[in-house]
């Protein structure tokens, strides 16, 4: 198991597979394919309601009926009930291209002309097809549809241009229509009896009467390309919608037999599917540009308007970065879009506005793509000034200007930053200061200039007097970074020179040469380390203050595409075109994990909480999320996760976060792993005086100990469990502390066993406790005066089990039949107090011990108050705690005040 495991993919809306629309009650749902899975949206607000399972291959066709979804992938058809696959139909030997819902049956058509008939009412009983039709060799099916009122009959369109009418019940061809000399791409039934519409590859639409084999009307697209989708309106208006490969939707008036309206640039790519909702003036469209849109016909002139839509990147994203404490991801793609994806709520994802693009495109008679800004190649964001002014700056491809954005309003800012107007060159690098007031830009000509984000006014440029052209660098500026206190600014040139500047004075303080051409730099503000990537595929870490090389990492075999630090500065993550993602431990100066993916990573970003890693990949329009296993487990070290120097093959995340049984094993080891015991290294480090060491446990694990009562009250069931009418037979079992099932012995056991257990029964009736593993380890560690095994054991326990173990020591009765010195509960309570005193004195596992003491006093506080035997050790615990905590509190308060001072200060 590695540090990062696949979680899910976001940003995928639809692909080039036609969707399936169905109405359930008063609501309409649409099922769309997203690669190897499908998604179901509620059309009321286009909110995501269901994500299907992951299939072995990409989906080629979809059909839906109530709670069933039928997905064709490869030569197989999956039957899914809601989100669970209940059957797989495997009758085809070739790829399935079309599925048709036909009453209580599904018709499937493959590329070789085979039609199989499947019955889905009795899926579990009969997974085999109930019928098979073999089409002629010279007839290559391209579409299938069922004409209304035609019992047991379907129409098949072919690539050769002909149409055939088949009876599914008798499996006979009834009639063949000659066609129109062009390949038929789509075919739909109209509200009028015996009338269908067929779209051809030559861009023509033929409205045809089946009964008389006569053509009713012919329409032709003005743009080149095939007719990919057709749909008739069913709300009383005589309208026919058609979509082609140019992304234009045409609305035809069937009564007047002419073009009524055109939705220009409805989509950025070819139209895949069109569907009028039943008895509603609403048209839904999908496209290969990763979007679905709904259009409503409510205007007086009959033209449609956009009602609602969902979209993602239509081209692969280039740069990604976490925002809003890891809840959102900013993404810039090759489709000229700048998007904000929500990790928590998919419906909150949106594209940032570039101010009236559609209106300006119509006015200038240009395409929207020509009006939009060029693709973003680099950007930086600062959250501190989000409510005051623009807090994002972007650099665009071959653009001598940088643009600012205001994320509070999701809109392009009013200022345009243009460095060096006398000799404009494309802006290549940007950075926002820690205070959020300044943006520093670097150009391809070596010019570096600082701007005020509030006013957009230039605040001076950085000049190296030793350079020939009075610029900052001799050549392209590939990266810029600012420190946390606005004291220094760091820039790197393409020729390998790294320079450190006085941020306010703009003078060069010092510089050094890397020795080869630089590609990218990343600076960590907390620890002052600068990571550089060079053409020699070596990652170098420099201490900016000490001006020296501190770390050097090698291992990638192809161009390094991106890198980032973890929030605490302990990890450095790098990606490369060799398909690997490597994690380097900065402290230990070595690689701790490496994974190999099928598609190379082009961009990556680690959330501030270090729980989620986001990646973008080659030729992929979505953003992929990976979960940090170490943040959601009780392991005390990372030694049990990383693969060290070995590379592990990992499957990429799917749109569904659920793991199927077949795909649960996602990691395949290429080489045997080498043992790397990081925990022994960490444990060998002596404790620093007057400081404490944290437990490295997830925050949720020790916080749950304090709030366990609140969690139990919140999760308490509303109604008590009801006994089933036909209760199954259960073997009688004995409850145990470990949770393992222990069956009761039979009544006919040996009398010898009964006599041997007599003493135990008598003692158990008294106040002796059943000695659990928890108490056994505690007793053993107390005798050896080494509590490390006990600490490791309780760290592995869940909060609820630990709470139960402590409550087992609770003194319930206050009878004085037995002396306090002989009560076993008090003995173990004293051992626990000794353990707390020892751990506080050592200063290890500080936050976990504090939470454990809180839970202990909540349960046994009254016992400590009443029993004089344990009061002495409780006073000693108080003394130790009073000696340790004030020192730590003083340091924490000092750091909090310092941070508050710097974050609230304004630097001009």
């Amino acid at each position: 198991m590695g540090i990062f495991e696949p979680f899910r993919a976001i940003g995928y809306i639809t692909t080039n597979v036609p969707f399936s629309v169905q109405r359930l009650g008063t609501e309409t749902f649409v099922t769309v394919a997203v690669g190897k899975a499908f998604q179901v949206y509620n059309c009321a607000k286009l909110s995501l309601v269901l994500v299907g399972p992951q299939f072995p291959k990409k989906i080629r066709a979809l059909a839906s009926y109530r709670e069933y979804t039928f997905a064709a992938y490869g030569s197989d058809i999956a039957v899914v009930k809601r989100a669970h696959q209940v059957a797989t139909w495997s009758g085809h030997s070739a790829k399935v291209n079309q599925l048709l819902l036909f009453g209580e049956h599904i018709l499937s058509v493959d590329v070789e002309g085979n039609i199989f008939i499947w019955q889905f009412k009795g899926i579990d009983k009969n997974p085999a097809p109930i019928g098979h039709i073999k089409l002629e060799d010279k007839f290559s099916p391209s579409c299938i549809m069922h004409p209304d009122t035609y019992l047991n009959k379907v129409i098949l369109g072919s690539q050769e241009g002909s149409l055939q009418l088949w009876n599914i019940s008798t499996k006979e061809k009834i009639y063949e229509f000659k066609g129109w000399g062009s390949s038929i791409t789509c075919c739909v039934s109209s509200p009028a009896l015996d009338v269908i519409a067929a779209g051809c590859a030559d861009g023509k639409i033929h409205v045809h009467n089946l009964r008389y084999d006569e053509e009713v009307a012919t329409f032709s697209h003005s743009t080149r390309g095939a007719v990919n989708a057709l749909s008739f309106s069913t709300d009383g208006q005589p309208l026919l919608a058609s979509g082609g490969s140019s992304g234009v939707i045409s609305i035809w008036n069937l009564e007047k037999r002419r073009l009524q309206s055109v939705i220009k640039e409805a989509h950025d790519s070819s139209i895949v599917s069109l569907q009028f909702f039943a008895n509603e003036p609403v048209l839904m469209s999908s496209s290969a540009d990763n979007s679905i849109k709904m259009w409503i016909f409510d205007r007086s002139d009959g033209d449609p308007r956009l009602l609602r839509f969902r979209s993602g990147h239509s081209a692969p994203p280039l740069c990604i970065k976490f925002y809003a404490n890891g809840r959102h991801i900013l993404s810039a793609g090759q489709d000229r879009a700048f998007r904000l994806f929500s990790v928590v709520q998919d419906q909150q994802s949106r594209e940032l506005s570039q101010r009236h693009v559609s209106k300006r495109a119509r006015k200038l008679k240009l395409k929207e793509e020509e009006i939009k800004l060029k693709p973003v190649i680099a950007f930086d964001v600062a959250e501190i000034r989000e409510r005051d002014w623009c807090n994002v700056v972007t650099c665009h491809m071959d653009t001598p200007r940088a643009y600012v954005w205001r994320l509070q309003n999701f809109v392009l800012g009013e200022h345009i930053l243009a460095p060096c107007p006398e000799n404009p060159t494309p802006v290549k690098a940007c950075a926002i200061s820690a205070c959020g007031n300044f943006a520093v830009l670097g150009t391809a000509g070596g010019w570096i200039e600082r701007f005020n984000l509030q006013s957009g006014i230039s605040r001076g440029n950085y000049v190296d007097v030793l350079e020939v052209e009075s610029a900052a660098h001799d050549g392209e500026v590939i990266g810029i970074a600012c420190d946390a206190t606005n004291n220094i600014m760091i820039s790197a040139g393409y020729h390998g020179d790294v320079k450190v500047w006085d941020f306010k004075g703009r003078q060069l303080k010092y510089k050094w040469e890397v020795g080869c051409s630089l590609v990218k730099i990343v600076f960590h503000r907390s620890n002052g380390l600068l990571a550089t990537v060079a053409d020699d595929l070596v990652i170098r870490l420099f201490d900016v203050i000490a001006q020296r090389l501190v770390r050097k990492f090698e291992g990638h075999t192809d161009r390094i595409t991106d890198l980032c630090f973890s929030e605490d500065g302990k990890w450095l993550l790098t990606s490369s075109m060799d398909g690997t993602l490597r994690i380097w431990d900065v402290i230990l100066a070595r690689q701790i994990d490496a994974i190999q993916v099928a598609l190379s990573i082009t961009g990556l970003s680690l959330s501030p909480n270090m729980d989620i890693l986001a990646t973008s990949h080659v030729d992929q329009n979505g953003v992929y999320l990976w979960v940090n296993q170490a943040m959601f487990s009780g392991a005390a070290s990372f030694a049990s996760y990383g693969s060290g120097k070995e590379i592990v093959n990992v499957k990429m995340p799917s749109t569904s976060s659920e793991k199927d049984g077949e795909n649960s094993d996602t990691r395949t080891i290429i080489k045997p792993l080498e043992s790397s015991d990081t925990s022994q290294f960490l444990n060998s480090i002596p404790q620093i005086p007057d400081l404490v060491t944290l437990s490295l446990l997830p925050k949720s694990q020790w916080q749950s100990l304090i709030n366990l009562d609140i969690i139990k009250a919140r999760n308490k069931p509303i109604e008590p469990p009801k006994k089933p009418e036909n209760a199954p037979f259960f073997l009688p079992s004995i409850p145990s502390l470990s949770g393992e099932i222990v069956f009761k012995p039979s009544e006919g056991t040996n009398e010898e066993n009964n006599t041997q257990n007599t003493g135990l029964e008598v003692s158990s009736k008294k106040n002796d406790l059943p000695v659990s593993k928890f108490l056994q380890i505690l007793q053993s560690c107390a005798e050896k005066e080494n509590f490390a095994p006990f600490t490791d054991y309780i760290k592995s326990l869940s909060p609820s089990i630990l709470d139960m173990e402590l409550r087992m020591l609770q003194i319930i009765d206050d009878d004085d039949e037995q002396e306090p010195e002989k009560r076993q509960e008090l003995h173990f309570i004293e051992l626990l107090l000794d353990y707390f005193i020892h751990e506080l004195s050592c200063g290890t596992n500080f936050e976990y011990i504090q939470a454990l003491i809180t839970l202990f006093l909540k349960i046994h506080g009254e016992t400590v108050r009443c029993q004089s035997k344990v009061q002495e050790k409780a006073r000693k615990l108080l003394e130790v705690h009073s000696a340790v905590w004030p020192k730590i509190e003083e340091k924490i308060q000092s750091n909090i005040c310092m941070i508050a001072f710097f974050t609230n200060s304004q630097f001009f």
Side-chain angles (χ1 to χ4, degrees):
M1 184 170 61
I3 295 177
F4 289 100
E5 291 291 318
F7 179 39
R8 68 187 184 99
I10 60 176
Y12 284 105
I13 307 300
T14 184
T15 53
N16 56 355
V17 177
F19 56 67
S20 174
V21 177
Q22 64 170 332
R23 193 173 184 87
L24 297 177
T26 59
E27 295 182 331
T28 304
F29 297 89
V30 57
T31 305
V32 297
V34 281
K36 298 180 180 180
F38 65 85
Q39 296 179 158
V40 180
Y41 291 94
N42 188 333
C43 296
K45 292 185 179 180
L46 280 183
S47 56
L48 183 64
V49 296
L50 185 67
V51 179
Q54 187 83 352
F55 300 120
K57 299 179 181 179
K58 289 185 178 181
I59 295 177
R60 302 176 59 88
L62 279 174
S64 57
Y65 176 77
R66 295 184 180 176
E67 59 185 3
Y68 287 101
T69 301
F70 308 92
Y73 60 92
S75 59
D76 297 329
I77 303 170
V79 183
V80 181
K81 186 175 183 181
R82 292 189 62 82
H84 304 284
Q85 186 171 348
V86 295
T88 301
W89 295 336
S90 303
H92 289 275
S93 58
K95 294 180 179 179
V96 179
N97 276 351
Q98 289 98 29
L99 292 178
L100 176 66
L101 179 65
F102 193 77
E104 296 182 355
H105 301 82
I106 290 290
L107 303 184
S108 59
V109 185
D110 61 23
V111 295
E112 294 180 352
N114 294 297
I115 302 176
F116 283 92
I117 307 170
W118 309 86
Q119 184 176 4
F120 58 84
K121 284 297 183 181
I123 293 176
D124 297 335
K125 299 179 181 179
N126 187 16
I130 62 173
H132 172 247
I133 297 175
K134 175 63 178 176
L135 301 177
E136 301 171 0
D137 294 338
K138 296 181 179 180
F139 188 90
S140 303
S142 58
C143 60
I144 183 172
M145 55 85 63
H146 166 61
D148 293 340
T149 71
Y150 280 56
L151 185 64
N152 296 332
K153 296 176 181 65
V154 294
I155 290 285
L156 289 166
S158 69
Q159 297 178 7
E160 290 77 15
S162 61
L163 289 169
Q164 291 183 357
L165 178 65
W166 282 79
N167 188 315
I168 298 300
S169 179
T170 61
K171 301 181 180 59
E172 295 179 352
K173 182 175 70 172
I174 299 175
Y175 187 77
E176 182 170 354
F177 303 88
K178 294 182 179 179
W180 300 275
S182 179
S183 176
I184 297 176
T185 54
C186 57
C187 190
V188 293
S189 177
S190 73
L193 295 181
D194 306 324
V195 178
I196 66 168
C200 299
D202 59 0
K204 292 184 178 181
I205 305 165
H206 302 276
V207 181
H208 198 77
N209 190 305
L210 296 178
R211 179 181 290 271
Y212 301 104
D213 193 8
E214 294 180 354
E215 189 165 326
V216 179
T218 302
F219 305 107
S220 180
H221 277 185
S222 59
T223 57
R224 295 181 179 179
V227 179
N228 295 333
L230 294 170
S231 181
F232 283 95
S233 175
T234 58
D235 67 331
Q237 300 184 42
L239 300 178
L240 171 64
S242 64
S245 56
S246 61
V248 177
I249 298 177
S250 303
I251 309 298
W252 308 89
N253 192 309
L254 297 176
E255 286 185 352
K256 299 179 180 180
R257 300 191 179 186
R258 65 177 179 85
L259 181 65
Q260 175 170 307
S261 60
V262 175
I263 310 177
K264 295 183 179 179
E265 297 184 9
H267 291 274
D268 296 333
S269 186
S270 61
I271 306 295
V272 172
S273 187
L274 291 173
Q275 178 70 51
F276 272 103
F277 287 179
N279 303 320
E280 293 184 30
V282 177
L283 174 68
M284 173 169 281
S285 63
S286 72
S287 171
D289 64 355
N290 195 23
S291 67
I292 53 176
K293 298 183 179 181
M294 294 175 62
W295 313 85
I296 186 169
F297 294 78
D298 58 353
R299 293 179 176 176
S300 57
D301 57 358
D303 290 343
R305 64 177 177 88
L306 185 62
L307 179 62
R308 59 181 66 94
F309 69 97
R310 292 291 299 276
S311 62
H313 281 296
S314 59
L318 294 172
C319 312
I320 57 175
K321 186 172 291 187
F322 271 98
Y323 181 76
N325 199 26
R327 297 190 302 272
H328 296 92
I329 297 175
L330 282 169
S331 173
Q334 300 177 18
D335 56 352
R336 302 191 175 195
F338 195 35
R339 293 187 172 274
L340 183 74
F341 291 106
S342 174
V343 179
V344 180
Q345 183 66 33
D346 189 63
Q347 198 170 354
Q348 296 177 0
S349 302
R350 60 185 301 164
E351 180 182 354
L352 274 66
S353 171
Q354 298 188 17
R355 292 191 180 271
H356 312 296
V357 172
S358 300
K359 185 177 180 180
R360 286 186 290 154
R362 287 195 300 268
K363 186 177 180 180
L364 299 174
K365 296 182 180 181
L366 296 173
K367 293 183 178 181
E368 291 186 10
E369 185 178 356
E370 298 176 2
I371 299 294
K372 282 187 175 182
L373 300 175
K374 291 186 177 181
V376 176
I377 58 175
F379 71 89
D380 197 13
V381 59
E383 300 183 29
I384 189 172
R385 289 298 190 181
E386 178 184 5
R387 298 180 180 272
D388 299 326
W389 49 72
C390 298
N391 62 327
V392 178
V393 59
T394 56
C395 307
H396 299 261
M397 187 179 296
D398 300 328
T399 304
R401 298 170 299 277
Y403 293 84
V404 293
W405 306 74
R406 187 159 189 170
L407 282 187
Q408 187 182 18
N409 301 329
F410 309 105
V411 68
L412 182 68
E414 61 274 11
H415 302 305
I416 299 177
L417 311 181
C420 191
E422 298 84 8
N423 184 22
T425 53
V427 179
K428 294 293 186 179
C430 62
I432 297 179
S433 60
C435 61
N437 293 333
F438 299 101
V440 185
L441 305 178
T443 69
W447 187 271
I448 298 178
E449 192 167 347
R450 185 178 65 187
F451 290 86
N452 185 285
L453 284 176
Q454 183 179 11
S455 62
I457 300 175
S458 174
R459 296 301 185 188
N461 61 309
Y462 296 80
V463 178
D464 186 358
V465 295
L466 299 179
E467 298 294 341
V468 179
E469 299 181 359
S470 298
H473 290 271
D474 181 17
E476 178 183 332
V477 179
I478 59 97
I480 295 175
C482 302
D483 71 337
T485 57
N486 281 10
N487 286 327
I488 60 173
M489 188 274 293
I490 308 160
S491 64
Y494 173 76
H495 296 296
D497 51 335
V498 179
K499 298 182 179 181
V500 180
W501 309 79
D502 184 0
F503 185 85
K504 296 179 182 178
R506 306 193 306 276
Q507 292 90 17
L508 180 64
K509 299 181 71 173
Y510 43 85
K511 66 178 181 179
W512 65 84
E513 294 287 340
V514 176
C516 54
S517 299
L518 291 178
V519 178
K520 192 179 183 65
I521 66 167
V522 172
F523 179 68
H524 193 272
R525 287 172 174 167
S526 299
N527 58 19
L529 293 180
L530 178 71
T532 64
V533 176
D535 283 343
D536 58 357
L537 308 180
V538 177
I539 303 141
R540 297 173 176 86
L541 266 64
F542 293 92
D543 189 328
V544 175
I545 305 300
Q547 307 176 42
R548 65 186 183 91
L549 179 67
V550 294
R551 293 289 186 270
K552 191 175 180 180
F553 299 124
E554 300 180 13
H556 287 292
T557 59
D558 204 343
R559 179 173 63 87
I560 298 174
T561 55
D562 202 1
L563 74 164
C564 71
F565 279 101
S566 61
E567 185 68 18
D568 57 6
K570 296 180 180 178
W571 291 353
L572 178 66
L573 288 77
T574 59
S575 61
S576 171
M577 290 302 293
D578 60 9
T580 61
L581 169 68
R582 297 175 187 265
I583 305 173
W584 314 87
D585 193 304
V586 177
I587 299 176
L588 302 179
R590 65 181 180 184
Q591 178 181 301
I592 58 174
D593 196 12
I595 62 175
Q596 178 94 29
V597 291
L599 299 172
S600 299
I601 298 173
T602 58
L604 57 90
S605 179
L606 185 61
S607 65
N609 296 328
M610 296 175 56
D611 53 349
I612 295 177
L613 172 68
T615 59
S616 60
H617 297 257
V618 175
D619 296 332
Q620 299 299 305
N621 297 341
V623 177
Y624 294 82
L625 303 181
W626 308 73
V627 65
N628 186 352
Q629 294 290 323
M631 300 296 293
F632 301 97
S633 64
S637 68
F638 299 108
S640 58
Y641 294 102
S643 60
K645 296 182 180 180
E646 309 304 332
I647 302 176
V648 180
N649 267 345
V650 181
K651 293 183 180 179
M652 291 177 59
S654 63
T655 53
S656 174
S657 59
E658 296 181 0
K659 289 187 178 180
D660 298 336
E662 297 178 357
N663 300 332
S664 59
D665 187 14
T666 59
R667 298 177 68 94
T668 306
I669 299 175
I670 296 179
K671 298 178 181 179
L673 304 181
E674 295 180 1
S675 60
S676 59
D677 194 359
T678 310
S679 59
Q680 293 181 1
F681 176 81
L682 296 175
N683 292 334
S684 62
I685 301 176
Q687 179 66 40
I688 302 175
D690 298 332
L691 292 181
V692 294
T693 302
L694 301 182
S695 61
L696 299 180
L697 287 175
K699 189 178 179 180
S700 58
Q701 185 167 348
W702 58 266
Q703 276 193 344
S704 299
L705 288 174
I706 307 173
N707 305 313
L708 205 56
D709 295 338
I710 300 174
I711 296 174
K712 288 181 178 179
R714 183 185 61 193
N715 298 337
K716 185 178 180 181
I718 301 175
E719 297 180 358
K722 297 180 180 179
K723 183 179 179 181
E725 296 180 359
N726 298 323
F729 171 73
F730 290 101
L731 293 175
S733 59
I734 303 173
S736 62
L737 294 176
S738 62
E740 298 179 355
I741 299 176
V742 180
F743 296 105
K744 290 183 179 180
S746 60
E747 296 180 358
T749 52
N750 298 345
E751 295 183 0
E752 296 179 0
N753 294 335
N754 293 335
T755 55
Q756 292 176 359
N757 295 334
T758 304
L760 292 175
E761 293 177 359
V762 173
S763 60
S764 62
K765 291 180 181 179
K766 297 182 181 180
N767 290 327
D768 290 344
L769 285 175
V771 180
S772 64
K773 186 178 180 180
F774 175 85
L775 299 179
Q776 291 176 1
I777 298 176
L778 176 61
Q779 179 74 37
S780 174
C781 292
E783 294 174 355
K784 299 178 181 178
E785 297 183 356
N786 179 20
F787 288 100
F790 181 70
T791 302
D792 295 337
Y793 174 72
I794 61 176
K795 280 184 179 181
S796 64
L797 298 178
S798 65
S800 57
I801 294 179
L802 191 54
D803 176 77
M804 181 196 68
E805 293 285 0
L806 291 178
R807 291 188 185 276
M808 290 294 294
L809 300 176
Q810 199 169 3
I811 299 178
I812 300 176
D813 56 337
D814 294 331
D815 299 336
D816 295 329
E817 296 178 0
Q818 191 172 5
E819 298 179 3
E821 291 78 6
K822 297 183 179 180
R823 295 193 72 106
Q824 197 173 5
E825 298 94 331
L826 292 180
H827 171 67
F828 287 111
I829 288 176
E830 287 185 65
L831 294 182
L832 282 174
L833 289 173
D834 291 336
Y835 169 70
F836 295 147
I837 294 171
H838 176 269
E839 291 297 309
L840 284 179
S841 303
C842 296
T844 56
N845 306 299
F846 188 75
E847 86 282 15
Y848 186 68
I849 296 299
Q850 294 290 333
L852 202 57
I853 292 175
T854 303
L855 179 62
F856 173 82
L857 293 177
K858 186 185 296 185
I859 298 173
H860 301 292
E862 186 65 21
T863 302
V864 173
R865 187 185 67 84
C866 297
Q867 300 294 336
S868 58
K869 183 179 179 181
V870 296
Q871 286 180 1
E872 182 179 350
K873 292 191 176 182
R875 291 190 189 96
K876 187 176 180 181
L877 176 63
L878 178 61
E879 292 175 1
V880 174
H881 186 274
S882 301
V884 174
W885 173 243
K887 298 178 182 178
I888 303 301
E889 185 180 25
E890 180 182 358
K891 290 180 173 59
I892 292 175
Q893 292 297 333
S894 176
N895 287 319
I896 290 175
C897 292
M898 187 68 68
I899 293 172
F901 172 75
F902 284 118
T903 54
N904 294 329
S905 299
Q906 309 297 326
F907 297 96
F908 296 96

